[in-house]
């Protein structure tokens, strides 16, 4: 039987009052905590430690706990990994070693790993929880699911939780979601709608770990506690500017696949820094314990911000980023990414209180130091004629110092020429100072407060989730308002090239900015970077071009824009087919060319009708489907496992029958042809995506292939000049019956091929791609500028 340790009954105290969020009393009982993705990086670094601290804090509260790590791996593989993670948990300083050892042993006994992959797995988890409650005679308090998984999996998991794991008898359900919450306004709306089908808004806790930082969580209490000092000066007549800065010294190696799709604005400005901005500028709530009032006041500020356009932002990219992209994403040296790793954005609030007050949000990688802070710099109307070091002539400022940097610890600093702030609960005043300066002032010129006990952000937020506090989490309405602010700027920057900076101290003044009215610009003139530093010739022309190639339609653009356009066209075709006939049949080719498209579909096209889509293979190597060389293996790894497509809608080619590969007598090609004829109306695929090899082959139809022998067949076994030689492929008969055929050609290496194809007549035996001629469908070439122009 799974062991549950009963905790001794003690009252859980909740602080009330204007300065702290009040916590509603919760009935004690059994709490089941499930971390989906429980052996992943985030869980390893932060989540299990946070839940261990929660467990320790609840000893004696009358609550009992069970902890589950959920994941896709089988239990026998993942259980040892889980317990290696749990053994790293540690106690805070006020707990003795002996007491800590006992608590840790109990915590480990309460934890187990469960495979959570299918609906049946979630149903089994629910049965296990119910059985445990019945056997041990426990009342249930609630169930907490923490989704430490990629965002594309949220809707599916939320659906499984809703259908199988909801508690009964009045117990609560709380589901925690990690950012990113969408990629832009549209994707955020789609995700919110999908989640709203399974969960109530009050059950969702969208976590922004910055709101768990002790300094950030004290911004509103600080403003309330010092209201009598701040009210007269918290306005346009006294505030010179507001700065919210997050600087990092690290690069993004190892995160390129994610970061290249998101960039610095989506990664930190749209979420962390926007939240800090709202806390600094929102109207103070009459009741800080009301999460509804706090969310409403934040929404008011978000709605009052002036629109952000290209003139309100500057972007940069550290010099080594291009090489990192080429290496990690397997791009050629000619590939250019315009993803920003640095951004400075100028915002203004369209309210009388802050009219004309500039709000700067600045963040970047590979800068001179690691530090985060929010500074309110006040105007100084005193002029010191002789003693310029007089405290009254120094900067007047309040600094919410998140940590790191020269100070090393989190703190709130108020310059002594402003006022002495009230000391907040559970904080202490720092009176002994080292020889340190913070933003232009020696530390001795500030009143300094810091938390009595420093706690990690995730531990703070986990405690809030357990207590049902929602002030530190993002509501659906506020999330969409934030994306509504940032999406137009992001769209406007897609054709802007970032300024290249070397990184670290070598940046010097390259990233210094100048404010002029409501516009922002770099202070120095444009920096000229040689083409070899960029991996190509910089250009500001990123427009998509349409034309004709070999008498067929052609779309051309730089690689990223081309893939974006192809993905949009593919979704449009899918939605049209589903609208007309309820199903979309898509045939995909192998090779590396379509991988960028797959990533785009996974990360940006959350509303793609996968449930109504059947995916077929254009061609396959005659190797087991589990091997890396298999086209299906690549398709599964890069696309299928990340989208919500029914397994019975996936149609790999049957290259392995009777424990042997592509043997003519097994009639595997005929088997696949019959499957196509049975499921695809008139054997006409809606969309076929092909690539082109350097020798002009397409699908697995190679130069010299006897196409005459396949005139009536839809599928055939073919021979490749390179290993593995044996292939299975759709024939021209199948391809040319399709409603739309798209040929994707990318990279400078294909320029010579494109040049030759533009001049030659149809000759499928020598140049198989010239045999692609849809009879009653449309052919579109998607060619990037490198392949088209060289």
């Amino acid at each position: 039987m799974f062991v549950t340790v009963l905790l001794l009954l003690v009252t859980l105290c909740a602080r009330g009052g204007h300065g702290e969020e009040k916590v509603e009393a919760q009935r004690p009982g059994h709490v089941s905590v499930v971390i989906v993705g429980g052996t992943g990086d985030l869980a390893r670094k932060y989540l299990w430690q946070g839940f261990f601290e929660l467990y320790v804090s609840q000893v004696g509260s009358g609550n009992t706990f069970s902890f589950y790590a959920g994941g896709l791996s089988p239990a026998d593989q993942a259980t040892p990994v889980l317990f290696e993670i749990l053994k790293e948990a540690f106690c805070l300083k006020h707990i003795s070693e002996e007491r800590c050892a006992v608590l840790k042993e109990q915590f480990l006994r309460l934890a187990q790993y469960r495979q959570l992959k299918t609906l049946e797995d979630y149903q089994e988890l629910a049965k296990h929880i119910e059985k445990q409650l019945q056997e041990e005679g426990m009342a249930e308090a609630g169930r907490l699911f923490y989704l430490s998984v990629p965002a594309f999996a949220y809707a599916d998991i939320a659906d499984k939780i809703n259908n199988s794991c909801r508690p009964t008898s009045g117990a609560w359900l709380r589901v925690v979601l990690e950012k990113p919450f969408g990629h832009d306004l549209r994707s955020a709306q789609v995700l919110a709608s999908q989640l709203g089908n399974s969960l109530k808004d009050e059950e969702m806790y969208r976590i922004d770990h910055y709101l768990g930082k002790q300094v950030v969580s004290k911004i509103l209490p600080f403003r309330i506690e010092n209201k009598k000092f701040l009210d007269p000066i918290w306005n346009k007549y006294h505030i010179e500017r507001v700065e919210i800065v997050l600087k990092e010294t690290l690069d993004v190696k190892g995160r390129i696949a994610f970061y290249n799709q998101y960039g610095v604005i989506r990664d930190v400005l749209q979420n962390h820094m926007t939240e800090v901005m709202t806390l600094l500028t929102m109207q103070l709530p009459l009741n800080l314990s009301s999460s509804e009032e706090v969310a409403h006041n934040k929404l008011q500020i978000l709605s009052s911000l002036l629109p952000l356009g290209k003139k309100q932002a500057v972007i940069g990219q550290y010099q080594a980023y291009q090489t990192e992209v080429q290496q990690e994403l397997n791009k050629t040296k000619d590939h250019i990414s315009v993803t920003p790793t640095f951004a400075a954005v100028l915002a203004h609030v369209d309210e009388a209180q802050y009219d004309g007050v500039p709000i700067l949000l600045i963040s970047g990688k590979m800068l001179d130091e690691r530090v985060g802070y929010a500074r309110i710099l006040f105007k100084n109307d005193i002029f010191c004629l002789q003693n310029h070091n007089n405290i009254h002539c120094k900067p007047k400022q309040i600094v919410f110092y998140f940590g790191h940097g020269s100070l090393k610890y989190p703190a709130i600093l108020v310059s002594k020429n402003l006022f002495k702030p009230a000391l907040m609960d559970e904080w202490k005043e720092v009176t002994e100072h080292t020889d340190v300066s913070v933003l232009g002032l020696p530390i001795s010129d500030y009143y300094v407060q810091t938390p009595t006990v420093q706690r990690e952000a995730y531990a703070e937020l986990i405690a809030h989730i357990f207590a049902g506090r929602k002030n530190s989490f993002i509501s659906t309405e506020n999330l969409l308002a934030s994306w509504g602010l940032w999406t137009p700027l992001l769209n406007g920057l897609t054709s802007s090239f970032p300024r290249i900076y070397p990184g670290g101290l070598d940046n010097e003044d390259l990233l210094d900015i100048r404010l002029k009215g409501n516009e922002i610009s770099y202070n120095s003139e444009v920096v000229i970077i040689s083409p070899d530093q960029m991996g190509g010739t910089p250009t500001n022309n990123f427009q998509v071009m349409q034309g004709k190639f070999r008498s067929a339609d052609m779309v051309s653009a730089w690689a990223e824009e081309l893939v974006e356009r192809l993905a949009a066209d593919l979704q449009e075709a899918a939605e049209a087919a589903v609208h007309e006939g309820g199903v979309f049949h898509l045939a995909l080719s192998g090779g590396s060319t379509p991988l960028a498209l797959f990533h785009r579909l996974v990360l940006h096209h959350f509303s793609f009708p996968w449930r109504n889509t059947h995916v077929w293979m254009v061609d396959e190597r005659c190797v087991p489907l589990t091997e890396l060389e298999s086209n299906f293996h690549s398709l599964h790894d890069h696309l299928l496992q990340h989208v919500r497509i029914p397994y019975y809608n996936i149609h790999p080619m049957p290259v392995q029958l009777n424990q042997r590969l592509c043997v003519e007598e097994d009639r595997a090609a005929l088997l696949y042809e019959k499957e196509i004829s049975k499921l695809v109306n008139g054997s006409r695929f809606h969309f076929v995506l092909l690539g082109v090899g350097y020798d002009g082959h397409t699908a697995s139809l190679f130069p010299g292939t006897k196409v005459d022998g396949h005139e009536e067949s839809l599928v055939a076994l073919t021979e490749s000049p390179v290993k593995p030689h044996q292939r299975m492929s759709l024939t021209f008969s199948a391809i040319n019956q399709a409603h739309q055929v798209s040929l994707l050609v990318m990279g400078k290496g294909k320029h010579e091929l494109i040049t030759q194809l533009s001049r030659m007549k149809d000759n499928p035996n020598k140049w198989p791609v010239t045999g692609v001629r849809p009879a009653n469908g449309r052919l579109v070439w998607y060619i990037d500028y490198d392949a088209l122009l060289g």
Side-chain angles (χ1 to χ4, degrees):
M1 182 190 298
F2 184 68
V3 181
T4 301
V5 178
L6 182 62
L7 309 177
L8 298 175
L9 181 60
V10 174
T11 303
L12 175 63
C13 296
R15 189 181 306 277
H18 198 62
E20 293 287 347
E21 184 182 357
K22 186 179 178 182
V23 183
E24 295 299 324
Q26 297 188 112
R27 69 176 189 182
H30 189 76
V31 178
S32 302
V33 174
V34 184
I35 304 180
V36 185
T39 56
D41 194 51
L42 182 68
R44 178 187 299 272
K45 288 181 178 177
Y46 301 112
L47 301 186
W48 284 115
Q49 177 61 32
F51 279 108
F52 178 58
E53 291 183 28
L54 172 69
Y55 172 72
V56 171
S57 73
Q58 290 299 302
V59 169
S61 68
N63 291 304
T64 57
F65 287 85
S66 300
F67 296 95
Y68 304 91
L72 300 178
S73 302
D76 58 341
Q77 294 178 18
T79 296
V81 177
L82 171 65
F83 282 93
E84 285 302 312
I85 296 171
L86 298 183
K87 288 174 185 176
E88 298 298 317
F90 58 88
C91 296
L92 300 181
K93 293 180 181 178
H94 66 279
I95 297 174
S96 69
E97 286 188 22
E98 294 79 8
R99 179 67 176 149
C100 182
V102 172
L103 292 169
K104 194 169 174 181
E105 181 184 355
Q106 292 175 347
F107 183 65
L108 265 65
R109 290 167 62 197
L110 294 171
Q112 65 169 272
Y113 178 89
R114 295 186 72 92
Q115 186 176 40
L116 293 178
K117 196 172 185 178
T118 65
L119 177 61
E120 291 73 20
D121 292 332
Y122 283 84
Q123 290 170 340
E124 286 300 315
L125 171 64
K127 290 177 184 176
H128 174 85
I129 293 172
E130 295 292 343
K131 182 180 179 183
Q132 184 187 359
L133 291 168
Q134 291 173 5
E135 287 181 350
E136 304 196 17
M138 298 181 294
E140 185 171 23
R143 300 180 188 182
L144 194 165
F145 286 81
Y146 199 119
L147 307 193
S148 180
V149 295
F152 61 74
Y154 286 169
D156 181 57
I157 295 174
D159 187 51
K160 289 184 173 76
I161 293 170
N162 179 48
N163 287 323
S164 61
C165 292
R166 279 193 170 277
T168 55
S169 66
W172 49 257
L173 172 67
R174 290 169 192 155
V175 180
V176 188
L177 307 163
E178 277 281 347
K179 78 174 184 73
F181 311 119
H183 187 265
D184 53 20
L185 177 58
R186 184 180 175 222
S187 60
Q189 288 170 329
V190 170
L191 181 58
S193 175
Q194 291 173 334
L195 290 170
N197 292 332
S198 302
L199 302 170
K200 302 171 186 174
D201 204 44
E202 61 266 25
E203 293 172 338
M204 286 185 273
Y205 287 70
R206 292 183 184 85
I207 200 165
D208 182 334
H209 78 271
Y210 244 69
L211 294 179
K213 288 183 177 290
Q214 289 172 290
V215 169
V216 176
S217 68
K218 285 295 185 183
I219 290 176
L220 284 183
F222 176 87
R223 290 180 60 194
I224 291 170
E225 291 289 333
N226 295 284
K227 196 172 185 295
K228 66 178 181 179
F229 301 117
L230 293 175
D231 268 2
I233 62 173
W234 208 260
N235 54 61
K236 64 183 179 182
Y237 301 110
H238 295 272
I239 298 176
E240 184 171 315
R241 68 174 179 268
V242 176
E243 304 165 7
I244 305 166
V245 177
L246 177 57
K247 298 201 291 184
E248 297 184 75
T249 57
L250 296 176
D251 55 25
V252 288
K253 284 181 182 176
R255 294 183 65 215
I256 293 289
F258 165 83
Y259 199 90
N260 202 49
Q261 296 291 335
Y262 282 81
V264 66
I265 295 177
R266 290 181 173 93
D267 193 31
V268 292
L269 273 76
Q270 178 272 328
N271 36 68
H272 305 329
M273 303 179 85
T274 300
E275 284 296 316
V276 173
M277 175 173 63
T278 61
L279 292 172
L280 292 171
T281 55
M282 65 183 272
Q283 181 181 342
L284 291 176
L286 296 175
N287 181 8
L288 189 53
S289 67
S290 169
S291 58
E292 292 83 5
E293 187 183 2
V294 171
H296 174 74
N297 291 2
K298 284 184 178 182
L299 185 61
Q300 277 190 322
I301 280 293
L302 288 170
S303 303
S304 300
L305 287 161
L306 292 176
L308 297 176
K310 291 175 68 173
K311 293 184 178 180
Q312 283 74 54
V314 294
I315 56 175
Q317 184 187 93
Y318 64 81
Q319 191 172 316
Y321 183 78
Q322 293 294 333
T323 302
E324 292 167 7
V325 168
Q326 291 159 11
Q327 291 173 347
E328 291 192 30
L329 300 185
N330 196 27
K331 300 287 186 180
T332 67
K333 290 187 176 181
D334 301 318
H335 175 80
I336 298 174
S337 169
V338 295
T339 299
T341 61
F342 169 85
V345 175
L346 175 61
H348 285 90
V349 178
D350 189 18
E351 288 187 359
Q353 181 179 0
Y354 301 111
D355 185 31
V357 175
I359 303 173
L360 281 167
L361 298 91
I362 304 173
S363 184
K365 304 285 186 182
M366 291 289 284
L367 301 182
D368 60 320
E369 65 173 336
R370 181 186 182 191
V371 68
Y373 63 85
R375 168 164 77 159
I376 298 86
L377 180 64
F378 293 89
K379 300 172 183 176
N380 196 339
D381 55 3
I382 299 175
F383 175 74
C384 298
L385 184 61
Q386 292 185 211
N387 185 5
H388 299 293
N389 288 323
N390 188 300
I391 186 67
H392 297 295
C393 287
K394 292 183 178 182
K396 291 182 176 181
Q397 55 196 21
I398 298 173
V399 181
F400 296 94
Y401 200 89
F402 309 147
H404 304 291
S406 58
L407 195 57
K408 308 298 184 189
Y409 56 84
I412 298 177
L413 304 93
V414 179
S415 59
K416 289 182 176 178
N417 51 9
L418 273 173
F419 59 88
K420 183 172 183 178
L423 185 64
M424 291 181 295
D425 290 335
E426 299 179 359
W427 282 50
K428 63 183 179 182
E429 186 173 0
V430 179
T431 53
E432 295 182 5
H433 302 299
T434 55
D435 187 18
V436 167
S437 290
V438 176
L439 300 179
L441 285 180
I443 191 72
S444 57
D445 283 351
Y446 290 104
Y447 296 111
V448 183
Q449 294 184 28
T450 190
T452 305
V453 177
Q454 291 187 32
R455 295 193 69 197
E456 206 282 320
Y458 277 99
E460 286 282 300
L461 291 174
I462 285 168
H464 289 193
I465 296 162
F466 175 75
R469 302 176 183 172
K470 294 215 71 176
N471 278 7
S472 300
F473 301 88
I474 317 301
S475 70
T476 302
E477 199 172 15
N478 286 29
L479 171 69
L480 297 180
S482 176
W483 275 120
L485 171 70
W486 288 101
T487 297
L489 173 63
L490 289 163
N491 291 340
L493 292 173
T494 54
S495 60
S496 298
F497 207 88
R499 171 170 290 196
I500 305 303
Y501 58 95
L505 294 174
D506 292 337
N507 296 331
E508 297 182 344
D509 62 354
L510 277 179
L511 302 178
D512 290 352
I513 53 176
R514 177 195 299 270
L515 306 184
K516 187 176 181 180
N518 67 342
E519 297 182 4
I520 187 174
S521 62
Y522 282 118
N523 186 46
S524 59
E525 293 300 318
V526 174
V527 183
I528 304 299
I529 300 292
S530 64
D532 60 304
Q533 287 175 290
M534 280 306 306
T537 304
T539 176
N540 285 325
N541 181 16
F542 288 89
Q543 299 301 308
V544 175
M545 180 176 73
Q546 291 182 276
K548 292 287 184 179
F549 182 75
R550 291 185 55 81
S551 302
D553 291 331
M554 178 192 71
V555 177
S556 191
W558 289 115
E560 287 186 79
E561 286 69 32
L562 185 70
V563 168
E564 182 178 347
R565 171 63 180 270
L566 175 55
D569 290 351
L570 179 59
Q571 177 157 345
E572 183 178 350
E575 290 172 345
V578 172
H579 178 74
E580 182 178 340
V583 67
F584 177 58
H585 288 284
L586 169 65
L588 295 171
S589 186
S592 60
T593 301
L595 296 186
L597 172 66
F598 299 164
H599 294 164
R600 178 82 196 177
L601 291 171
V602 167
L603 293 172
H604 300 277
H605 290 256
F606 301 109
S607 59
F608 194 99
W610 291 113
R611 289 188 182 277
N612 303 94
T613 297
H614 284 254
V615 173
W616 302 83
M617 301 300 298
V618 167
D619 60 330
E620 181 59 277
R621 297 177 170 95
C622 291
V623 298
L625 300 184
T626 54
E627 291 193 7
L628 293 176
E629 287 183 306
S630 163
N631 289 341
F632 179 79
H633 186 281
S634 176
L635 175 65
H636 176 269
D637 278 7
H638 293 280
L639 177 65
L640 297 179
Q641 70 170 335
H642 303 298
V643 297
R644 300 178 69 190
I645 182 170
Y647 71 91
Y648 44 80
N649 285 9
I650 300 170
H651 306 279
M653 283 183 158
V655 292
Q656 187 172 22
L657 290 177
N658 302 320
Q659 297 183 338
R660 52 189 185 175
L661 293 163
C662 293
V663 176
E664 195 80 46
E665 291 79 14
D666 291 333
R667 301 170 67 83
L670 181 61
L671 185 66
Y672 202 60
E673 180 171 326
K674 287 182 177 178
E675 190 175 4
I676 294 171
S677 300
K678 178 182 177 182
L679 296 176
V680 183
N681 186 25
S683 299
R684 293 190 68 194
F685 294 107
H686 293 103
F687 200 107
V688 176
L689 177 66
L690 302 173
V692 187
Y694 293 99
D695 58 358
H697 83 266
T698 191
S700 280
L701 303 172
F702 296 92
T705 299
K706 295 180 181 179
V707 294
D708 295 335
H710 304 315
E711 285 179 352
E712 301 300 325
S713 302
L714 301 178
V715 187
L717 295 178
T718 65
E719 288 284 328
S720 165
V722 296
K723 291 182 179 180
H725 297 298
Q726 287 184 300
R727 307 289 175 95
M728 184 180 291
S729 178
L730 296 183
T731 64
F732 288 124
S733 179
I735 292 169
N736 288 331
Q737 288 184 59
H739 293 271
Q740 177 168 333
V741 180
S742 294
L743 279 154
L744 178 60
V745 191
M746 298 170 67
K748 279 192 176 181
K750 298 287 177 70
H751 176 61
E752 182 62 28
L753 171 69
I754 290 296
T755 302
Q756 292 187 53
L757 288 175
S758 67
R759 299 168 180 164
M760 67 178 58
K761 296 180 180 180
D762 292 348
N763 186 351
N765 282 313
K766 186 174 182 181
W767 299 93
V769 70
T770 64
V772 178
R773 299 184 296 269
N776 296 301
R778 182 184 178 213
L779 173 62
V780 182
W781 291 78
Y782 291 83
I783 310 174
D784 75 350
Y785 285 154
D786 285 333
L788 187 67
L789 306 174

